[in-house]
């Protein structure tokens, strides 16, 4: 049986919504993008939501708004997809990498130790869809001693008066970060990714959730950021296309990172059924948990803790005592059965570019440990129970074979 790793969810309603956009006469940023923003806002409870063309550009837009400069530092986990740190580098600042915990997420104590007067932001990442400890991270940046260390370098930084918390919620749309509270509303800024492999997708896309404290007004900030995402043009193309509305101005140096309606349509049709899609992800997660919790060699990924609950984006299985070589061999054997698996993630300090910048994996022992024995199994709503059983069998067989070699 051939089981792909993470195919996008495209049913008739997704196709109908895209066709509707194509036939409407308006295909770039307009009513569908606005409707998607409203759906995401309603789902996660953020004060304002702006859709852009990727997580990466959303993070860059927020760093530009924050007035980040060379010499500034942003704390990120070593264990994440590279975009988390690349967005920081692209904006001229330095990603300060810290180690992760046993649950794959950034260690709050490690964040505390990494804070310097140059720290302008911290990017916790909800790995696999399991939320970070936002309460502890927000408390940390509000501590009087930590605030006293903060050196604002822009008006926005001065108004905030402390380190910005921007959560990389690329994986965690629909997850709970506290009892009954969805991710996206408990950090200053949260950015979801709507990339093709994510739980809800627009092929390429991202959603910026705004929850900044006073004196910021999140509705005003939405308008400002929307303009920034359109090259700082005072009128978007949709408004300008109306008869007589031709005149516009450019009021600054923005970015061109808006989402097109033809993309938004895909996500719009998906998010309308997301509660059901999410419920099936949870079922698949539990089928894996049931099977692997009975194996003394397996470490099942976190699902629920202290009111937090995963969006089940990735099923990150770990094999006790395995090193990279045996993990790689196990992947080879599983793949031979037609089951596509993956590794999340190769820690950034192991990748050439980050090595060339001086990062060393030896400084992140837990990230390395998590990585070296990890295998991500297929998890998505289209999987049948039969396919899940097939994955489980392939993984168990592969383990036995590796052990017998
Ligand atoms: C997918 C992903 C991103 C990047 O998302 P894009 O929309 O492709 O820019 C960032 N962080 C994490 C953890 C991701 O998995």
């Amino acid at each position: 049986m051939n089981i792909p790793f993470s195919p996008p969810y495209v049913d008739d309603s997704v196709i109908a919504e895209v066709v509707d956009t194509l036939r409407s006469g308006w295909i770039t940023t307009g009513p569908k993008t606005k409707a998607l923003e409203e759906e995401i806002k309603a789902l996660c409870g953020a004060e304002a939501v702006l859709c852009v063309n990727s997580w990466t550009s959303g993070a860059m837009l927020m760093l530009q708004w924050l007035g980040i400069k060379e010499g500034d530092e942003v704390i990120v986990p070593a264990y994440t997809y590279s975009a988390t740190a690349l967005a920081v580098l692209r904006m001229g600042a330095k990603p300060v990498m810290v180690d992760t915990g046993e649950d794959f997420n950034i260690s709050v104590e490690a964040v505390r130790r990494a804070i310097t007067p140059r720290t302008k932001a911290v990017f916790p990442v909800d790995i696999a869809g399991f939320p970070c400890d936002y309460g502890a991270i927000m408390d940390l940046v509000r501590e009087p001693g930590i605030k006293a260390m903060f050196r604002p370098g822009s008006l926005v930084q001065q108004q905030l008066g402390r380190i910005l918390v921007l959560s990389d919620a690329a994986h965690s749309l629909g997850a709970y970060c506290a009892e009954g509270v969805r991710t996206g509303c408990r950090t200053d800024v949260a950015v979801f990714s709507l990339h093709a492999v994510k739980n809800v997708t627009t092929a390429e896309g991202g959603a910026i959730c705004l929850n900044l404290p006073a004196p910021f007004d999140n509705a005003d900030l939405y308008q400002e950021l929307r303009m920034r995402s359109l090259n700082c043009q005072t009128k978007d193309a949709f408004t300008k296309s109306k008869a007589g509305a031709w005149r516009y101005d450019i009021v600054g140096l923005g970015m061109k990172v808006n989402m097109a309606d033809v993309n938004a349509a895909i996500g719009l049709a998906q998010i309308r059924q997301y509660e059901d899609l999410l419920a099936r992800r949870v079922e698949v997660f539990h089928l894996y948990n049931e099977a692997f919790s009975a194996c003394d060699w397996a470490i099942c990924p976190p699902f629920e803790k202290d009111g937090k609950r995963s969006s089940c984006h990735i099923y990150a299985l770990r094999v006790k005592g395995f090193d990279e070589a045996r993990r790689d061999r196990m992947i080879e054997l599983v793949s031979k059965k037609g089951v596509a698996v993956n590794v999340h993630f190769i820690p950034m300090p192991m990748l050439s570019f980050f090595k060339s910048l001086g990062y060393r994996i030896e400084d992140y022992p837990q990230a390395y440990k998590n990585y070296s024995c990890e295998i991500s199994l297929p998890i998505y709503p289209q999987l049948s129970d039969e396919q899940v059983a097939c994955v489980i069998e392939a993984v168990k067989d592969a383990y036995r074979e590796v052990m017998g070699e």
Side-chain angles (χ1 to χ4, degrees), residues 54-56 80-81 83-84 125 168 170-171 193 195 198 204-205 345:
S54 72
W55 182 95
T56 305
T80 178
Y81 178 61
T84 316
V125 186
D168 178 340
H171 300 174
S193 172
H195 175 265
K198 303 294 162 42
E204 296 285 353
F345 288 94

Side-chain angles (χ1 to χ4, degrees), residues 43-367:
L43 178 82
C44 75
E47 291 191 28
V49 176
L50 175 72
C51 281
V52 288
N53 62 7
S54 72
W55 182 95
T56 305
S57 53
M60 283 165 51
L61 190 70
M62 292 317 298
L63 289 174
Q64 192 200 50
W65 167 78
L66 188 64
I68 215 91
K69 293 195 280 290
E70 202 181 320
D72 289 341
E73 296 174 355
V74 176
I75 299 172
V76 302
Y79 193 86
T80 178
Y81 178 61
S82 308
T84 316
L86 293 174
V88 175
L89 284 163
R90 184 71 269 170
M91 299 315 287
K94 181 185 173 192
V96 172
M97 295 187 196
V98 302
D99 208 2
T100 45
E102 224 278 314
D103 67 355
F104 295 103
N105 281 343
I106 197 164
S107 151
V108 181
E109 273 318 297
V111 172
R112 176 189 293 280
R113 287 193 298 272
I115 292 173
T116 76
R118 292 178 297 278
T119 309
K120 294 295 156 65
V122 51
F123 286 6
V125 186
D126 301 331
I127 300 286
F130 187 68
C132 293
D133 200 343
Y134 295 155
I137 295 167
M138 291 305 299
D139 284 350
L140 176 64
V141 299
R142 290 185 188 122
E143 272 180 27
I146 299 288
K147 283 179 78 169
M149 222 198 288
F150 186 69
R151 297 281 173 273
S154 70
L155 178 62
V156 166
Q157 290 171 26
Q158 198 181 325
Q159 286 174 318
L160 185 62
R162 60 163 170 78
I163 296 167
L164 178 91
V165 179
L166 182 153
S167 53
D168 178 340
H171 300 174
S172 67
L173 183 66
Y176 289 91
C177 60
E179 201 66 58
V181 182
R182 244 109 188 213
T183 54
C185 67
R186 281 287 166 94
T187 51
D188 299 318
V189 180
V191 185
F192 295 120
S193 172
L194 303 170
H195 175 265
V197 301
K198 303 294 162 42
N199 283 19
V200 169
T201 179
T202 54
E204 296 285 353
I208 304 171
C209 303
L210 303 170
N211 309 287
L212 282 140
F216 299 102
D217 178 303
N218 290 294
D220 289 351
L221 183 56
Y222 166 87
Q223 293 299 347
E224 181 190 334
L225 292 167
R226 188 168 189 276
M227 187 179 74
R228 280 178 182 270
S229 76
L230 288 155
N231 273 334
C232 278
Q233 183 169 307
T234 49
K235 234 175 238 175
D236 64 31
F238 187 71
T239 312
K240 214 158 72 67
S241 72
K242 297 284 181 292
W246 60 275
R247 194 180 285 282
Y248 65 90
D249 195 10
I250 298 290
V251 295
L253 184 58
M255 294 168 68
K256 185 61 169 57
V257 296
N258 55 306
M259 175 180 284
D261 270 16
V262 71
N263 288 97
I266 303 171
L268 193 54
Q270 288 177 353
I271 204 163
R272 285 180 182 141
Q273 20 174 355
Y274 189 45
E275 297 295 355
D276 293 338
L277 300 177
L278 198 51
R280 179 59 189 162
R281 280 183 177 272
V282 171
E283 275 174 22
V284 172
F285 197 98
H286 285 312
L287 288 172
Y288 284 142
N289 266 4
E290 256 168 56
F292 295 114
S293 59
C295 302
D296 57 6
W297 53 265
I299 306 170
C300 296
F303 173 68
E304 220 163 17
K305 196 186 166 214
D306 307 331
K308 297 196 287 187
R309 194 176 144 170
S310 178
S311 63
C312 301
H313 173 57
I314 290 169
Y315 191 86
L317 182 71
R318 279 172 289 180
V319 184
K320 278 181 200 159
F322 263 31
D323 56 8
E324 277 187 83
R326 285 196 287 177
R327 186 273 316 276
D328 293 355
R329 176 73 182 133
M330 194 160 156
I331 289 181
E332 202 181 312
L333 293 167
V334 173
S335 307
K336 271 192 191 146
K337 300 264 173 73
V339 175
V341 292
N342 241 304
V343 173
H344 292 95
F345 288 94
I346 304 171
M348 292 186 289
M350 295 178 75
L351 302 170
S352 304
F353 178 56
F354 294 103
K355 274 194 220 166
S356 78
L357 297 177
Y359 296 96
R360 297 172 344 128
I361 189 61
E362 292 76 17
D363 297 332
Y364 312 97
Q366 186 66 47

Side-chain angles (χ1 to χ4, degrees), residues 352-386:
S352 304
F353 178 56
F354 294 103
K355 274 194 220 166
S356 78
L357 297 177
Y359 296 96
R360 297 172 344 128
I361 189 61
E362 292 76 17
D363 297 332
Y364 312 97
Q366 186 66 47
Y368 181 74
K369 191 168 177 235
N370 288 343
Y371 150 79
S372 53
C373 64
E374 197 268 354
I375 300 181
S376 304
L377 307 184
I379 180 165
Y380 42 92
Q382 307 95 301
L383 278 176
S384 66
D385 286 6
E386 191 197 356

